[in-house]
Amino acid sequence: MKVESSFRIKPSAKMSIFSPAIFGDLKAAAEAKKATGAEVIDLSLGSPDLPPDEKVRRELSEKSALANTYGYTLGGTNRFNEAVANYYERRSGVVINPETEIIQTMGSQEGLVHLPLAFCNEGDFVLTTNPAYVAYEAGIKLAGAVPYEMPLLAENGFLPDLDVIPEEVSQNAKLLILNLPGNPVPAMPSTAFFEKVVAFAKKYNVIVLHDAAYSEYYFTGDSPISFLSTPGAMEVGMEINSLSKSFSLAGARIAYIAGNAEMVHILRQLKSNLDYGTFGPIQEAAVVALDNAEEITDRLRTEFSARHRVLMKGMEEIGWSATPSNGGMFVWAKYPFDMDDKEFVFKVIEQCGVVMVPGSIFGSEGAGFVRLALIQKVDVLQKAVDRLRDLVITR
């Protein structure tokens, strides 16, 4: 005889802000396609397919074998913070105090989600973009703040237009989040734009956070400008960067926030209540990566620029409208079919086994777009283009 239990599990009200991610559904659809014997080309997750540099892997292996490396680190080690500071000075000409102006996070997503808790009160506005990386909204809502979305439009070079933000919103904004080159839209920053951001932040007393996760993904000319290299930026903000993308250490979960010392101090107070730091050998491997950044990222750019050319050219040839870009890890494209983007990506998986991400999960301005990650070799990307060329979409 079955006894009915009176025990009930009910999630907190705050759990309603965390909607289920679509990536699980995309994976399930891809697995179903594979089960038919078809080859699937996955361009969904922005997870680097290149392995970490051999020097980095060797350092992690050797340090992990030592018996005395398994204690708490309680944050970034001196060696890690100094490596970040040296990296900034070499790559961007920015001088950062490793003791007071750098804090380590367990990957950039952890830092992005927790950061609004340190600075925002209930009802504060946080200025973010539409489309935007999904972690921003999670952090904003977790803090009880209110997102104000700035559309990324072609006529503005896919940069947010600070001039059209209502005065009341600007006056009550606490935080401005930028991401250049971006995810999902790989727009590039300019000196003039960052100067305007600094002026805006000073006028309205708004903290700026620049997400520089794709700073080493540039395919023409000079590297993207660091926000912190802009005059006045250290007074008003910070930059977050991760070793996940540029150094293929996604699973190692190591990142950092650099910038204003007072802001870093506040974040350190929050972080001291959340975790006990990243595994020491991972930090040592990260030091090797940062110290050899020029060599490592040159190889990355050679490979990814070739991938970028193939996919951008392919989109043009098959009549899709790809957003112009010369950096980033993604191609952002509008497809020429009259169909909801979420429905569309599953139709594509079913018909030709190419997995993409629907643009609307990044915001309402992403409707009718898809994001394609440059995470397959050139010949595989060409094969994906060939399959997309032959699409026949019917409802």
Side-chain angles (χ1 to χ4, degrees):
M1 177 179 175
K2 184 178 180 180
V3 178
E4 188 72 25
S5 172
S6 61
F7 189 77
R8 294 290 182 270
I9 300 173
K10 188 176 181 181
S12 71
K14 202 171 275 290
M15 280 301 297
S16 64
I17 71 176
F18 300 111
S19 56
I22 197 172
F23 293 100
D25 294 336
L26 291 173
K27 182 178 180 181
E31 291 299 323
K33 183 67 175 178
K34 284 181 186 176
T36 68
E39 177 194 24
V40 169
I41 300 174
D42 193 345
L43 307 180
S44 59
L45 279 177
S47 182
D49 61 306
L50 302 179
D53 186 88
E54 183 182 354
K55 292 186 290 294
V56 176
R57 302 198 309 270
R58 185 168 59 244
E59 182 73 6
L60 178 57
S61 176
E62 291 175 357
K63 290 297 190 292
S64 296
L66 299 177
N68 63 347
T69 58
Y70 286 81
Y72 295 128
T73 58
L74 301 177
T77 63
N78 291 338
R79 279 175 49 77
F80 176 81
N81 290 348
E82 288 167 2
V84 172
N86 291 336
Y87 170 77
Y88 259 87
E89 188 165 9
R90 293 194 325 270
R91 301 297 275 165
S92 304
V94 177
V95 176
I96 298 175
N97 187 324
E99 296 180 4
T100 61
E101 295 176 338
I102 296 169
I103 182 169
Q104 188 181 98
T105 66
M106 290 180 163
S108 59
Q109 179 144 332
E110 180 265 304
L112 290 164
V113 171
H114 285 139
L115 184 136
L117 288 172
F119 299 103
C120 297
N121 295 314
E122 294 270 346
D124 283 341
F125 280 111
V126 176
L127 309 176
T128 184
T129 59
N130 181 357
Y133 179 45
V134 293
Y136 304 155
E137 183 178 22
I140 293 166
K141 291 185 175 179
L142 190 63
V146 180
Y148 179 84
E149 298 176 347
M150 303 172 291
L152 301 181
L153 306 175
E155 54 263 39
N156 299 324
F158 295 96
L159 297 174
D161 187 351
L162 303 178
D163 293 332
V164 300
I165 300 172
E167 183 68 18
E168 181 184 359
V169 173
S170 298
Q171 291 284 359
N172 291 284
K174 193 67 176 288
L175 182 63
L176 165 62
I177 302 175
L178 299 169
N179 176 208
L180 299 162
N183 174 10
V185 186
M188 301 290 274
S190 67
T191 300
F193 176 73
F194 275 155
E195 287 173 347
K196 191 167 188 175
V197 169
V198 170
F200 176 90
K202 288 183 176 181
K203 179 179 179 180
Y204 293 106
N205 199 39
V206 175
I207 294 169
V208 178
L209 177 70
H210 178 229
D211 180 359
Y214 306 96
S215 60
E216 293 287 0
Y217 283 79
Y218 58 94
F219 310 135
T220 60
D222 296 328
S223 63
I225 306 155
S226 166
F227 173 66
L228 298 182
S229 68
T230 310
M234 291 288 286
E235 298 174 45
V236 300
M238 302 165 285
E239 198 159 59
I240 185 168
N241 206 338
S242 166
L243 281 82
S244 293
K245 312 300 185 183
S246 300
F247 300 99
S248 300
L249 289 170
R253 311 313 302 142
I254 185 163
Y256 57 84
I257 298 173
N260 181 277
E262 186 177 358
M263 297 175 193
V264 167
H265 175 75
I266 293 168
L267 283 170
R268 188 168 285 121
Q269 183 179 347
L270 172 65
K271 285 279 291 174
S272 69
N273 288 276
L274 298 179
D275 63 69
Y276 289 101
T278 298
F279 183 40
I282 290 176
Q283 297 202 42
E284 290 299 313
V287 169
V288 172
L290 291 165
D291 286 349
N292 293 274
E294 290 81 355
E295 174 193 345
I296 293 171
T297 60
D298 277 352
R299 289 198 295 269
L300 173 144
R301 279 185 293 278
T302 298
E303 174 64 25
F304 273 80
S305 61
R307 298 179 183 188
H308 182 258
R309 285 193 301 272
V310 165
L311 203 48
M312 291 294 286
K313 181 182 178 185
M315 293 294 99
E316 180 183 359
E317 288 176 349
I318 66 175
W320 293 30
S321 178
T323 299
S325 64
N326 58 11
M329 197 178 182
F330 306 100
V331 167
W332 181 247
K334 189 170 185 62
Y335 51 87
F337 301 99
D338 182 20
M339 179 177 284
D340 171 80
D341 55 290
K342 289 181 181 177
E343 182 182 357
F344 176 70
V345 296
F346 287 102
K347 282 276 190 182
V348 173
I349 294 172
E350 178 186 338
Q351 188 176 132
C352 68
V354 176
V355 189
M356 303 172 292
V357 181
S360 61
I361 74 161
F362 302 103
S364 58
E365 293 292 334
F369 287 79
V370 289
R371 190 194 75 177
L372 302 91
L374 301 170
I375 55 169
Q376 301 285 355
K377 290 182 171 56
V378 166
D379 61 326
V380 179
L381 291 175
Q382 184 59 60
K383 187 184 295 186
V385 169
D386 294 340
R387 292 186 186 181
L388 294 173
R389 179 183 287 110
D390 296 332
L391 275 177
V392 179
I393 296 295
T394 57
R395 290 187 177 276

